[in-house]
Amino acid sequence: MTRNNHTTADNRPSEPRADTHSDIASTGQSTANQDDVVTLAHGAGGEAMRSLVDTLAVSRFADGSSADTAGAVGLAALDDGSVHPLPGTDISIVLTTDSHIVTPPTFPGGDIGRLSVAGTVNDLAVMGVTDPLALTCGLVVEEGTPTAELDRFLESMRESAVEAGVDITTGDTKVMGAGELDGIVLNTTGVGTIPTSEVVTGAGLSPGDAIVLSGTVGDHGIALLAEREGFDFGANLESDVAPINGLVAAATDAGRVTAMTDPTRGGLATALNEMAEKAGVGLEIEEQAIPVDDAIASAGEVLGIDPLSVANEGKVVFGVHSDDADSVLAALREQPLGSNAAIIGQVISDHPGRVVLDTGFGNRYLSEPTGEALPRIC
């Protein structure tokens, strides 16, 4: 059961963001202040994290890289993966990596093992790779961790990899001293191939495209917070963590998908803002059309957390050519993971780089979160 009306806190239009990357690119140098320190906000998605990555990583690694070649997608795109066309062919390699640390490591609906496989499979999927070639497993574990716990997480990885149809083929293991690491960190890298013409990014939106959401939002972040803090809301709150490559395949087979991303850190609000900014278009979103589970919406209101701004681990935001929106929606709803899919808005030429939320009572800008609300949930 879902509820399609919920409240949000921010009713103020946001100030335009500074074009940090352009500023850096123009100087070719990092602008980091030596007195600044990394905070949890820098790991929560949204503006703070993008600014940190722009300042420290993109400015160093992106300039003059091989991703400047035609058809390539490199670090500067800040997409879900990189794309590397193979010379003399129409095939591209797609590469992505993700590190996972979460408290608690076992949560309703999943655990860190399932999260680590789903996260990387999903990053490949939203670039168009629905049949990934292989994954790696980088394991960093704290001394004193019960081997039975580690066994359970690695078995969860195996089961999730089978579900996604991918093999885990290589890896690395490090053990840290007691107190040097809070539990376990899992890094997974994924690789796949795809015809270059079929690569999809988060930047492909055009005015007139429909925005389609594959299901309810807020499930993962709010379920984890409730479990971590021991809150009992009288309902079964579960993470949505799952590999969604099959779901994406159903959508891309049904119609012209112009852009994709998975709304993980920073949630739907960040995903929509990033897609609008990358494509230089505006998004007009109907708040009442966004599917939010009743229990998640109620828990979010009690906790003071907007389900639109917390992570999801089994959802996709699609840009779809308007002529194909109904067929893509129908295909998604035939899939178990897409039964609550909905068309939530459209791409417009006004308000470039911004997301206009129609609340049913008026319009406001939907801003992405700027701080850290729920640390270590993906």
CSV table of all heavy atoms in Angstrom, one decimal, residues 217-280:
chain,number,residue,atom,x,y,z
A,217,VAL,N,9.7,5.5,-2.6
A,217,VAL,CA,11.0,6.0,-2.2
A,217,VAL,C,11.1,6.2,-0.6
A,217,VAL,O,10.0,6.3,0.0
A,217,VAL,CB,11.3,7.4,-2.8
A,217,VAL,CG1,11.4,7.2,-4.3
A,217,VAL,CG2,10.2,8.4,-2.5
A,218,GLY,N,12.3,6.2,-0.1
A,218,GLY,CA,12.5,6.4,1.3
A,218,GLY,C,12.6,5.1,2.1
A,218,GLY,O,13.0,5.2,3.3
A,219,ASP,N,12.3,4.0,1.5
A,219,ASP,CA,12.3,2.7,2.2
A,219,ASP,C,13.6,2.4,2.9
A,219,ASP,O,13.6,2.0,4.1
A,219,ASP,CB,11.9,1.6,1.3
A,219,ASP,CG,10.6,1.8,0.5
A,219,ASP,OD1,10.5,2.9,-0.1
A,219,ASP,OD2,9.7,1.0,0.5
A,220,HIS,N,14.7,2.4,2.2
A,220,HIS,CA,16.0,2.0,2.7
A,220,HIS,C,16.4,2.9,3.9
A,220,HIS,O,16.7,2.4,5.0
A,220,HIS,CB,17.1,2.0,1.6
A,220,HIS,CG,18.4,1.6,2.1
A,220,HIS,ND1,18.7,0.3,2.4
A,220,HIS,CD2,19.5,2.3,2.3
A,220,HIS,CE1,20.0,0.2,2.8
A,220,HIS,NE2,20.5,1.4,2.8
A,221,GLY,N,16.5,4.2,3.6
A,221,GLY,CA,17.0,5.0,4.7
A,221,GLY,C,16.2,5.1,5.9
A,221,GLY,O,16.7,5.0,7.1
A,222,ILE,N,14.9,5.1,5.8
A,222,ILE,CA,14.1,5.2,7.0
A,222,ILE,C,14.0,3.9,7.7
A,222,ILE,O,14.0,3.8,9.0
A,222,ILE,CB,12.7,5.8,6.6
A,222,ILE,CG1,12.8,7.2,6.3
A,222,ILE,CG2,11.7,5.6,7.8
A,222,ILE,CD1,11.5,7.9,5.9
A,223,ALA,N,14.0,2.8,7.0
A,223,ALA,CA,14.0,1.4,7.7
A,223,ALA,C,15.3,1.3,8.4
A,223,ALA,O,15.3,0.7,9.6
A,223,ALA,CB,13.8,0.3,6.6
A,224,LEU,N,16.4,1.7,7.9
A,224,LEU,CA,17.7,1.5,8.6
A,224,LEU,C,17.7,2.4,9.9
A,224,LEU,O,18.2,2.0,10.9
A,224,LEU,CB,18.9,1.9,7.7
A,224,LEU,CG,19.7,0.7,7.3
A,224,LEU,CD1,18.9,-0.1,6.3
A,224,LEU,CD2,21.0,1.1,6.8
A,225,LEU,N,17.2,3.6,9.7
A,225,LEU,CA,17.3,4.5,10.9
A,225,LEU,C,16.4,3.9,12.0
A,225,LEU,O,16.8,3.9,13.2
A,225,LEU,CB,16.8,5.9,10.5
A,225,LEU,CG,16.8,6.9,11.7
A,225,LEU,CD1,18.2,7.1,12.2
A,225,LEU,CD2,16.2,8.2,11.3
A,226,ALA,N,15.2,3.4,11.7
A,226,ALA,CA,14.3,2.9,12.7
A,226,ALA,C,15.0,1.7,13.4
A,226,ALA,O,14.9,1.5,14.6
A,226,ALA,CB,13.0,2.5,12.0
A,227,GLU,N,15.7,0.8,12.6
A,227,GLU,CA,16.3,-0.3,13.1
A,227,GLU,C,17.5,0.1,14.0
A,227,GLU,O,17.7,-0.4,15.1
A,227,GLU,CB,16.9,-1.2,12.0
A,227,GLU,CG,17.6,-2.5,12.5
A,227,GLU,CD,16.8,-3.5,13.1
A,227,GLU,OE1,15.5,-3.4,13.0
A,227,GLU,OE2,17.3,-4.5,13.7
A,228,ARG,N,18.3,1.1,13.6
A,228,ARG,CA,19.5,1.5,14.3
A,228,ARG,C,19.1,2.1,15.6
A,228,ARG,O,19.7,1.9,16.7
A,228,ARG,CB,20.2,2.5,13.5
A,228,ARG,CG,21.5,3.1,14.1
A,228,ARG,CD,22.0,4.3,13.4
A,228,ARG,NE,22.3,3.9,12.0
A,228,ARG,CZ,22.5,4.8,11.0
A,228,ARG,NH1,22.6,6.1,11.3
A,228,ARG,NH2,22.8,4.4,9.8
A,229,GLU,N,18.0,2.9,15.6
A,229,GLU,CA,17.7,3.6,16.9
A,229,GLU,C,16.7,2.8,17.7
A,229,GLU,O,16.3,3.3,18.8
A,229,GLU,CB,17.1,5.0,16.5
A,229,GLU,CG,18.0,5.8,15.7
A,229,GLU,CD,19.3,6.1,16.4
A,229,GLU,OE1,19.3,6.2,17.7
A,229,GLU,OE2,20.4,6.3,15.7
A,230,GLY,N,16.2,1.7,17.2
A,230,GLY,CA,15.3,0.8,18.0
A,230,GLY,C,13.9,1.4,18.1
A,230,GLY,O,13.1,1.1,19.0
A,231,PHE,N,13.5,2.2,17.1
A,231,PHE,CA,12.1,2.7,17.0
A,231,PHE,C,11.2,1.6,16.5
A,231,PHE,O,11.4,0.9,15.6
A,231,PHE,CB,12.0,3.9,16.1
A,231,PHE,CG,12.8,5.1,16.6
A,231,PHE,CD1,13.6,5.8,15.7
A,231,PHE,CD2,12.7,5.5,17.9
A,231,PHE,CE1,14.3,6.9,16.1
A,231,PHE,CE2,13.4,6.6,18.3
A,231,PHE,CZ,14.2,7.3,17.4
A,232,ASP,N,10.0,1.5,17.2
A,232,ASP,CA,9.0,0.6,16.8
A,232,ASP,C,7.8,1.4,16.3
A,232,ASP,O,7.1,2.0,17.1
A,232,ASP,CB,8.5,-0.3,17.9
A,232,ASP,CG,7.5,-1.3,17.5
A,232,ASP,OD1,7.1,-1.4,16.3
A,232,ASP,OD2,7.0,-2.1,18.4
A,233,PHE,N,7.5,1.4,15.0
A,233,PHE,CA,6.4,2.2,14.4
A,233,PHE,C,5.2,1.3,14.2
A,233,PHE,O,4.3,1.8,13.6
A,233,PHE,CB,6.9,2.8,13.1
A,233,PHE,CG,7.9,3.9,13.3
A,233,PHE,CD1,9.2,3.7,13.1
A,233,PHE,CD2,7.5,5.2,13.8
A,233,PHE,CE1,10.2,4.7,13.2
A,233,PHE,CE2,8.5,6.2,14.0
A,233,PHE,CZ,9.8,5.9,13.7
A,234,GLY,N,5.2,0.1,14.7
A,234,GLY,CA,4.1,-0.8,14.6
A,234,GLY,C,3.8,-1.2,13.2
A,234,GLY,O,2.7,-1.6,12.8
A,235,ALA,N,4.9,-1.2,12.4
A,235,ALA,CA,4.7,-1.7,11.0
A,235,ALA,C,6.1,-2.3,10.5
A,235,ALA,O,7.1,-2.0,11.1
A,235,ALA,CB,4.4,-0.5,10.0
A,236,ASN,N,6.0,-3.1,9.5
A,236,ASN,CA,7.3,-3.7,9.0
A,236,ASN,C,7.9,-2.8,8.0
A,236,ASN,O,7.5,-2.7,6.9
A,236,ASN,CB,6.9,-5.1,8.4
A,236,ASN,CG,6.4,-6.1,9.4
A,236,ASN,OD1,6.9,-6.1,10.5
A,236,ASN,ND2,5.5,-6.9,9.0
A,237,LEU,N,8.9,-2.1,8.5
A,237,LEU,CA,9.7,-1.2,7.6
A,237,LEU,C,10.9,-2.0,7.1
A,237,LEU,O,11.7,-2.5,7.9
A,237,LEU,CB,10.2,0.0,8.4
A,237,LEU,CG,9.1,0.9,9.1
A,237,LEU,CD1,9.8,2.1,9.7
A,237,LEU,CD2,8.0,1.3,8.1
A,238,GLU,N,11.0,-2.1,5.8
A,238,GLU,CA,12.1,-2.9,5.2
A,238,GLU,C,12.8,-2.1,4.1
A,238,GLU,O,12.2,-1.3,3.3
A,238,GLU,CB,11.5,-4.2,4.5
A,238,GLU,CG,11.1,-5.2,5.6
A,238,GLU,CD,11.0,-6.6,4.9
A,238,GLU,OE1,11.0,-6.7,3.7
A,238,GLU,OE2,10.8,-7.6,5.7
A,239,SER,N,14.1,-2.3,4.0
A,239,SER,CA,14.9,-1.7,2.9
A,239,SER,C,14.4,-2.3,1.6
A,239,SER,O,13.9,-3.4,1.5
A,239,SER,CB,16.4,-2.1,3.1
A,239,SER,OG,17.1,-1.8,2.0
A,240,ASP,N,14.6,-1.5,0.6
A,240,ASP,CA,14.2,-2.0,-0.8
A,240,ASP,C,15.5,-2.6,-1.5
A,240,ASP,O,15.4,-2.8,-2.7
A,240,ASP,CB,13.6,-0.8,-1.6
A,240,ASP,CG,14.6,0.3,-1.7
A,240,ASP,OD1,15.6,0.4,-1.0
A,240,ASP,OD2,14.4,1.2,-2.6
A,241,VAL,N,16.6,-2.8,-0.8
A,241,VAL,CA,17.8,-3.2,-1.5
A,241,VAL,C,17.6,-4.4,-2.4
A,241,VAL,O,17.1,-5.5,-1.9
A,241,VAL,CB,18.9,-3.5,-0.4
A,241,VAL,CG1,18.6,-4.5,0.6
A,241,VAL,CG2,20.2,-3.8,-1.2
A,242,ALA,N,18.0,-4.3,-3.6
A,242,ALA,CA,17.8,-5.4,-4.6
A,242,ALA,C,18.6,-5.0,-5.9
A,242,ALA,O,18.7,-3.8,-6.3
A,242,ALA,CB,16.3,-5.6,-5.0
A,243,PRO,N,19.1,-6.0,-6.6
A,243,PRO,CA,19.6,-5.7,-8.0
A,243,PRO,C,18.5,-5.4,-8.9
A,243,PRO,O,17.5,-6.2,-9.0
A,243,PRO,CB,20.4,-7.0,-8.3
A,243,PRO,CG,19.8,-8.1,-7.5
A,243,PRO,CD,19.3,-7.4,-6.2
A,244,ILE,N,18.6,-4.3,-9.7
A,244,ILE,CA,17.5,-3.9,-10.5
A,244,ILE,C,17.8,-4.0,-12.0
A,244,ILE,O,17.2,-3.4,-12.9
A,244,ILE,CB,17.0,-2.5,-10.2
A,244,ILE,CG1,18.2,-1.5,-10.0
A,244,ILE,CG2,16.2,-2.5,-8.9
A,244,ILE,CD1,18.7,-0.9,-11.3
A,245,ASN,N,18.8,-4.8,-12.4
A,245,ASN,CA,19.2,-4.9,-13.8
A,245,ASN,C,18.1,-5.5,-14.6
A,245,ASN,O,17.9,-5.1,-15.8
A,245,ASN,CB,20.5,-5.7,-14.0
A,245,ASN,CG,20.6,-7.0,-13.3
A,245,ASN,OD1,20.0,-7.1,-12.2
A,245,ASN,ND2,21.3,-7.9,-13.8
A,246,GLY,N,17.3,-6.4,-14.1
A,246,GLY,CA,16.2,-7.0,-14.8
A,246,GLY,C,15.1,-6.0,-15.0
A,246,GLY,O,14.5,-6.0,-16.1
A,247,LEU,N,14.9,-5.2,-14.0
A,247,LEU,CA,13.9,-4.1,-14.1
A,247,LEU,C,14.2,-3.1,-15.2
A,247,LEU,O,13.4,-2.7,-16.0
A,247,LEU,CB,13.7,-3.4,-12.8
A,247,LEU,CG,12.6,-2.4,-12.6
A,247,LEU,CD1,11.3,-3.1,-12.6
A,247,LEU,CD2,12.8,-1.6,-11.3
A,248,VAL,N,15.5,-2.7,-15.2
A,248,VAL,CA,16.0,-1.8,-16.3
A,248,VAL,C,15.9,-2.4,-17.7
A,248,VAL,O,15.5,-1.7,-18.6
A,248,VAL,CB,17.4,-1.4,-16.0
A,248,VAL,CG1,18.0,-0.6,-17.1
A,248,VAL,CG2,17.5,-0.5,-14.7
A,249,ALA,N,16.2,-3.7,-17.8
A,249,ALA,CA,16.1,-4.4,-19.1
A,249,ALA,C,14.6,-4.3,-19.6
A,249,ALA,O,14.4,-4.1,-20.8
A,249,ALA,CB,16.6,-5.8,-19.0
A,250,ALA,N,13.7,-4.5,-18.7
A,250,ALA,CA,12.3,-4.5,-19.1
A,250,ALA,C,11.9,-3.1,-19.6
A,250,ALA,O,11.2,-3.0,-20.6
A,250,ALA,CB,11.4,-4.9,-17.9
A,251,ALA,N,12.4,-2.1,-18.9
A,251,ALA,CA,12.1,-0.7,-19.3
A,251,ALA,C,12.7,-0.3,-20.7
A,251,ALA,O,12.0,0.2,-21.6
A,251,ALA,CB,12.5,0.3,-18.3
A,252,THR,N,14.0,-0.7,-20.9
A,252,THR,CA,14.7,-0.3,-22.1
A,252,THR,C,14.2,-1.1,-23.3
A,252,THR,O,14.2,-0.6,-24.4
A,252,THR,CB,16.2,-0.4,-21.9
A,252,THR,OG1,16.5,-1.7,-21.5
A,252,THR,CG2,16.7,0.6,-21.0
A,253,ASP,N,13.7,-2.3,-23.0
A,253,ASP,CA,13.0,-3.1,-24.1
A,253,ASP,C,11.7,-2.5,-24.5
A,253,ASP,O,11.2,-2.7,-25.7
A,253,ASP,CB,12.9,-4.5,-23.7
A,253,ASP,CG,14.2,-5.3,-23.6
A,253,ASP,OD1,15.2,-4.8,-24.2
A,253,ASP,OD2,14.2,-6.4,-23.0
A,254,ALA,N,11.0,-1.8,-23.6
A,254,ALA,CA,9.7,-1.3,-23.9
A,254,ALA,C,9.6,0.0,-24.5
A,254,ALA,O,8.5,0.4,-25.1
A,254,ALA,CB,8.9,-1.3,-22.5
A,255,GLY,N,10.6,0.8,-24.5
A,255,GLY,CA,10.6,2.1,-25.1
A,255,GLY,C,11.9,2.9,-25.0
A,255,GLY,O,12.9,2.3,-24.5
A,256,ARG,N,11.9,4.1,-25.5
A,256,ARG,CA,13.1,4.9,-25.6
A,256,ARG,C,13.4,5.6,-24.2
A,256,ARG,O,12.7,6.6,-23.9
A,256,ARG,CB,12.9,6.0,-26.7
A,256,ARG,CG,13.0,5.4,-28.1
A,256,ARG,CD,12.5,6.4,-29.1
A,256,ARG,NE,11.0,6.6,-29.0
A,256,ARG,CZ,10.3,7.3,-29.8
A,256,ARG,NH1,10.9,8.1,-30.7
A,256,ARG,NH2,9.0,7.4,-29.7
A,257,VAL,N,14.3,5.0,-23.5
A,257,VAL,CA,14.8,5.6,-22.3
A,257,VAL,C,15.9,6.6,-22.6
A,257,VAL,O,16.9,6.2,-23.1
A,257,VAL,CB,15.3,4.5,-21.3
A,257,VAL,CG1,15.9,5.1,-20.1
A,257,VAL,CG2,14.1,3.6,-20.9
A,258,THR,N,15.7,7.8,-22.2
A,258,THR,CA,16.7,8.9,-22.5
A,258,THR,C,17.7,9.2,-21.4
A,258,THR,O,18.8,9.7,-21.7
A,258,THR,CB,16.0,10.2,-22.9
A,258,THR,OG1,15.2,10.6,-21.7
A,258,THR,CG2,15.0,10.0,-24.0
A,259,ALA,N,17.4,8.8,-20.2
A,259,ALA,CA,18.3,9.1,-19.1
A,259,ALA,C,17.9,8.1,-17.9
A,259,ALA,O,16.7,7.8,-17.8
A,259,ALA,CB,18.2,10.5,-18.6
A,260,MET,N,18.9,7.8,-17.1
A,260,MET,CA,18.6,7.0,-15.9
A,260,MET,C,19.6,7.3,-14.8
A,260,MET,O,20.7,7.7,-15.1
A,260,MET,CB,18.8,5.5,-16.2
A,260,MET,CG,17.7,4.8,-17.0
A,260,MET,SD,17.9,3.0,-17.1
A,260,MET,CE,19.2,2.8,-18.3
A,261,THR,N,19.1,7.1,-13.6
A,261,THR,CA,20.0,7.1,-12.4
A,261,THR,C,19.3,6.4,-11.3
A,261,THR,O,18.1,6.3,-11.3
A,261,THR,CB,20.4,8.6,-12.0
A,261,THR,OG1,21.5,8.5,-11.1
A,261,THR,CG2,19.2,9.3,-11.4
A,262,ASP,N,20.0,5.9,-10.3
A,262,ASP,CA,19.4,5.3,-9.1
A,262,ASP,C,19.5,6.3,-8.0
A,262,ASP,O,20.6,6.8,-7.7
A,262,ASP,CB,20.0,4.0,-8.8
A,262,ASP,CG,21.5,4.0,-8.7
A,262,ASP,OD1,22.2,4.9,-9.2
A,262,ASP,OD2,22.1,3.0,-8.1
A,263,PRO,N,18.4,6.6,-7.3
A,263,PRO,CA,18.4,7.6,-6.3
A,263,PRO,C,18.9,7.0,-4.9
A,263,PRO,O,18.1,6.8,-4.0
A,263,PRO,CB,16.9,7.9,-6.2
A,263,PRO,CG,16.2,6.7,-6.6
A,263,PRO,CD,17.0,6.0,-7.6
A,264,THR,N,20.2,6.9,-4.8
A,264,THR,CA,20.8,6.4,-3.6
A,264,THR,C,21.1,7.5,-2.6
A,264,THR,O,20.1,8.2,-2.2
A,264,THR,CB,22.1,5.6,-3.9
A,264,THR,OG1,23.0,6.4,-4.8
A,264,THR,CG2,21.7,4.3,-4.7
A,265,ARG,N,22.3,7.8,-2.3
A,265,ARG,CA,22.6,8.9,-1.3
A,265,ARG,C,22.0,10.2,-1.8
A,265,ARG,O,22.2,10.7,-2.9
A,265,ARG,CB,24.1,9.0,-1.1
A,265,ARG,CG,24.7,8.0,-0.2
A,265,ARG,CD,26.2,8.0,-0.2
A,265,ARG,NE,26.8,7.8,-1.5
A,265,ARG,CZ,28.1,7.6,-1.7
A,265,ARG,NH1,28.9,7.8,-0.7
A,265,ARG,NH2,28.5,7.3,-2.9
A,266,GLY,N,21.3,10.9,-0.9
A,266,GLY,CA,20.6,12.1,-1.2
A,266,GLY,C,19.2,11.9,-1.7
A,266,GLY,O,18.4,12.8,-1.9
A,267,GLY,N,18.9,10.6,-2.0
A,267,GLY,CA,17.5,10.2,-2.4
A,267,GLY,C,17.0,10.8,-3.7
A,267,GLY,O,17.8,11.2,-4.6
A,268,LEU,N,15.7,10.8,-3.9
A,268,LEU,CA,15.1,11.2,-5.1
A,268,LEU,C,15.4,12.7,-5.4
A,268,LEU,O,15.6,13.1,-6.5
A,268,LEU,CB,13.6,11.0,-5.0
A,268,LEU,CG,12.8,11.4,-6.2
A,268,LEU,CD1,13.1,10.6,-7.5
A,268,LEU,CD2,11.2,11.3,-5.9
A,269,ALA,N,15.4,13.5,-4.3
A,269,ALA,CA,15.6,14.9,-4.5
A,269,ALA,C,17.0,15.2,-5.1
A,269,ALA,O,17.1,16.0,-6.1
A,269,ALA,CB,15.5,15.6,-3.1
A,270,THR,N,18.0,14.5,-4.7
A,270,THR,CA,19.3,14.7,-5.3
A,270,THR,C,19.4,14.1,-6.7
A,270,THR,O,19.9,14.8,-7.6
A,270,THR,CB,20.4,14.0,-4.5
A,270,THR,OG1,20.5,14.7,-3.2
A,270,THR,CG2,21.8,14.0,-5.1
A,271,ALA,N,18.8,13.0,-6.9
A,271,ALA,CA,18.8,12.4,-8.3
A,271,ALA,C,18.1,13.3,-9.3
A,271,ALA,O,18.6,13.5,-10.4
A,271,ALA,CB,18.1,11.0,-8.3
A,272,LEU,N,17.0,13.9,-9.0
A,272,LEU,CA,16.3,14.7,-9.9
A,272,LEU,C,17.1,16.0,-10.2
A,272,LEU,O,17.2,16.5,-11.3
A,272,LEU,CB,14.9,15.1,-9.3
A,272,LEU,CG,13.9,13.9,-9.3
A,272,LEU,CD1,12.6,14.4,-8.5
A,272,LEU,CD2,13.5,13.4,-10.6
A,273,ASN,N,17.6,16.6,-9.1
A,273,ASN,CA,18.4,17.8,-9.3
A,273,ASN,C,19.6,17.6,-10.2
A,273,ASN,O,20.0,18.4,-11.0
A,273,ASN,CB,18.8,18.4,-7.9
A,273,ASN,CG,17.7,19.3,-7.3
A,273,ASN,OD1,17.6,20.5,-7.7
A,273,ASN,ND2,16.9,18.8,-6.4
A,274,GLU,N,20.3,16.4,-9.9
A,274,GLU,CA,21.5,16.1,-10.7
A,274,GLU,C,21.1,15.9,-12.2
A,274,GLU,O,21.8,16.4,-13.1
A,274,GLU,CB,22.2,14.9,-10.2
A,274,GLU,CG,22.9,15.1,-8.8
A,274,GLU,CD,23.6,13.9,-8.3
A,274,GLU,OE1,23.5,12.8,-8.9
A,274,GLU,OE2,24.4,14.1,-7.4
A,275,MET,N,20.0,15.2,-12.5
A,275,MET,CA,19.6,15.0,-13.9
A,275,MET,C,19.3,16.3,-14.5
A,275,MET,O,19.6,16.6,-15.7
A,275,MET,CB,18.4,14.0,-13.9
A,275,MET,CG,18.8,12.6,-13.4
A,275,MET,SD,17.3,11.5,-13.3
A,275,MET,CE,17.2,11.0,-15.0
A,276,ALA,N,18.6,17.2,-13.8
A,276,ALA,CA,18.2,18.5,-14.4
A,276,ALA,C,19.4,19.3,-14.7
A,276,ALA,O,19.5,20.0,-15.7
A,276,ALA,CB,17.2,19.2,-13.4
A,277,GLU,N,20.3,19.3,-13.7
A,277,GLU,CA,21.5,20.2,-13.9
A,277,GLU,C,22.4,19.7,-15.1
A,277,GLU,O,22.9,20.4,-15.9
A,277,GLU,CB,22.3,20.2,-12.6
A,277,GLU,CG,23.6,21.1,-12.7
A,277,GLU,CD,24.3,21.2,-11.3
A,277,GLU,OE1,23.7,20.7,-10.3
A,277,GLU,OE2,25.4,21.8,-11.3
A,278,LYS,N,22.6,18.3,-15.1
A,278,LYS,CA,23.5,17.8,-16.2
A,278,LYS,C,22.9,18.0,-17.6
A,278,LYS,O,23.6,18.3,-18.5
A,278,LYS,CB,23.6,16.3,-16.0
A,278,LYS,CG,24.5,15.9,-14.8
A,278,LYS,CD,24.6,14.4,-14.6
A,278,LYS,CE,25.4,14.0,-13.4
A,278,LYS,NZ,25.4,12.6,-13.2
A,279,ALA,N,21.6,18.0,-17.7
A,279,ALA,CA,20.9,18.1,-19.0
A,279,ALA,C,20.6,19.6,-19.3
A,279,ALA,O,20.3,19.9,-20.5
A,279,ALA,CB,19.7,17.3,-19.1
A,280,GLY,N,20.7,20.5,-18.3
A,280,GLY,CA,20.4,21.9,-18.6
A,280,GLY,C,18.9,22.1,-18.8
A,280,GLY,O,18.5,23.0,-19.6
